[in-house]
């Protein structure tokens, strides 16, 4: 299965595995676009309903069953669901798992590289095989730096509701930086996927927020 997926990904670009990963990632993001539009609309609805949500939580906070019923009724009136925002994340998981399997497969990406940096190796392996002063290591540094820059933009886009617990207010802005940690420990192929996917997500969120305002 993994070999077939690698053949498909490479075939998308006419032979370049790195370009194939980029094209595969863009195809996944396009496929998920309708769900992401729905998620953005749900977020806007949640912002508009925030005062009513706080009133319901204050009124029925000691009655979880009644609170859940009232919240569902409020969202249904707006034609959405409190769980609609999770759909894009859940839908992307199978594609992330497939890309992880490809990137960590011991032989799938053998012989494929980006400017001399092996797609199937982690940064530690590149340092061990090529050293710190080498083109392959600089490629890794560039990819990780770009992932970090995208994570910074993503963190700035996060809107934290006032009713969120203090701990969540501190944790949420840090969540986008999980992609940086992943890029540090995963093979370069996975880092490319993360970079393209998160850059698309940040750009898409900015466009949708502007259009849905």
């Amino acid at each position: 299965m993994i070999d077939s997926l690698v053949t498909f990904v490479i075939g998308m670009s006419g032979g370049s595995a790195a370009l194939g990963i980029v094209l595969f990632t863009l195809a996944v993001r396009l496929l998920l676009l309708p769900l992401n539009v729905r998620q953005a609309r749900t977020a806007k609805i949640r912002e508009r309903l925030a005062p009513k949500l706080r009133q319901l939580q204050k009124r029925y906070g000691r009655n979880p069953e009644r609170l859940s019923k009232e919240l569902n009724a409020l969202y249904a009136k707006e034609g959405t669901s409190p769980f609609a925002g999770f759909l894009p994340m859940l839908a992307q998981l199978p594609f992330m798992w497939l890309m992880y399997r490809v990137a960590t497969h011991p032989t799938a990406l053998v012989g494929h590289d980006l400017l001399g940096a092996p797609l199937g190796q982690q940064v530690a392996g590149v340092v061990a095989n090529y050293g710190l002063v080498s083109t392959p290591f600089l490629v890794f540094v560039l990819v990780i730096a770009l992932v970090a820059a995208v994570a910074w933009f993503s963190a700035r886009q996060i809107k934290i509701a006032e009713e969120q617990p203090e701990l969540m207010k501190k944790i949420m802005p840090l969540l986008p930086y999980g992609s940086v940690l992943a890029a540090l420990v995963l093979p370069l192929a996975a880092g490319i996927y993360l970079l393209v996917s998160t850059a698309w997500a940040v750009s898409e969120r900015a466009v949708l927020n502007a259009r849905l305002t």
Side-chain angles (χ1 to χ4, degrees):
M1 176 183 175
I2 299 301
D3 291 336
S4 299
L5 180 59
V6 172
T7 301
F8 171 74
V9 169
I10 295 174
M12 292 178 70
S13 61
S16 170
L19 180 57
I21 291 170
V22 172
L23 294 176
F24 174 80
T25 308
L26 293 176
V28 170
R29 299 301 312 196
L30 278 172
L31 185 65
L32 297 176
L33 184 57
L35 290 176
N36 291 328
V37 171
R38 183 179 177 184
Q39 181 187 39
R41 286 175 176 163
T42 300
K44 288 296 181 181
I45 291 173
R46 189 178 292 114
E47 284 183 32
R48 190 174 73 251
L49 295 179
K52 293 182 179 180
L53 293 174
R54 285 195 291 268
Q55 288 177 4
L56 289 176
Q57 289 169 346
K58 185 177 180 179
R59 185 174 182 181
Y60 302 111
R62 297 183 180 181
N63 189 344
E65 185 176 345
R66 179 65 184 275
L67 176 61
S68 177
K69 183 178 179 180
E70 294 292 336
L71 289 175
N72 288 332
L74 182 60
Y75 278 109
K77 186 178 180 180
E78 296 290 335
T80 185
S81 162
F83 304 105
F86 294 100
L87 290 178
M89 180 179 64
L90 295 176
Q92 191 178 178
L93 288 178
F95 299 105
M96 293 180 65
W97 178 81
L98 284 173
M99 186 52 59
Y100 173 78
R101 289 293 306 275
V102 168
T104 57
H105 194 276
T107 60
L109 294 174
V110 170
H112 296 283
D113 62 75
L114 175 63
L115 301 178
L119 293 176
Q121 280 197 12
Q122 302 166 318
V123 64
V126 168
V127 172
N129 292 321
Y130 299 93
L132 290 174
V133 185
S134 64
T135 299
F137 178 70
L138 290 178
V139 170
F140 257 101
V141 170
L142 177 60
V143 170
I144 293 171
L146 290 174
V147 171
V150 173
W152 181 79
F153 280 108
S154 181
R156 287 176 61 86
Q157 289 180 330
I158 293 176
K159 296 181 179 179
I160 304 175
E162 294 181 5
E163 62 269 18
Q164 288 282 4
E166 287 300 319
L167 180 60
M168 288 301 298
K169 290 181 180 180
K170 294 179 180 179
I171 291 177
M172 288 180 68
L174 300 177
L175 293 179
Y177 293 99
S179 59
V180 181
L181 296 177
L184 284 169
V185 300
L186 292 175
L188 180 59
I192 295 172
Y193 176 86
L194 285 170
L195 173 60
V196 177
S197 184
T198 52
W200 174 292
V202 168
S203 303
E204 178 185 83
R205 196 177 301 123
V207 172
L208 290 177
N209 284 340
R211 287 183 174 272
L212 296 175
T213 299

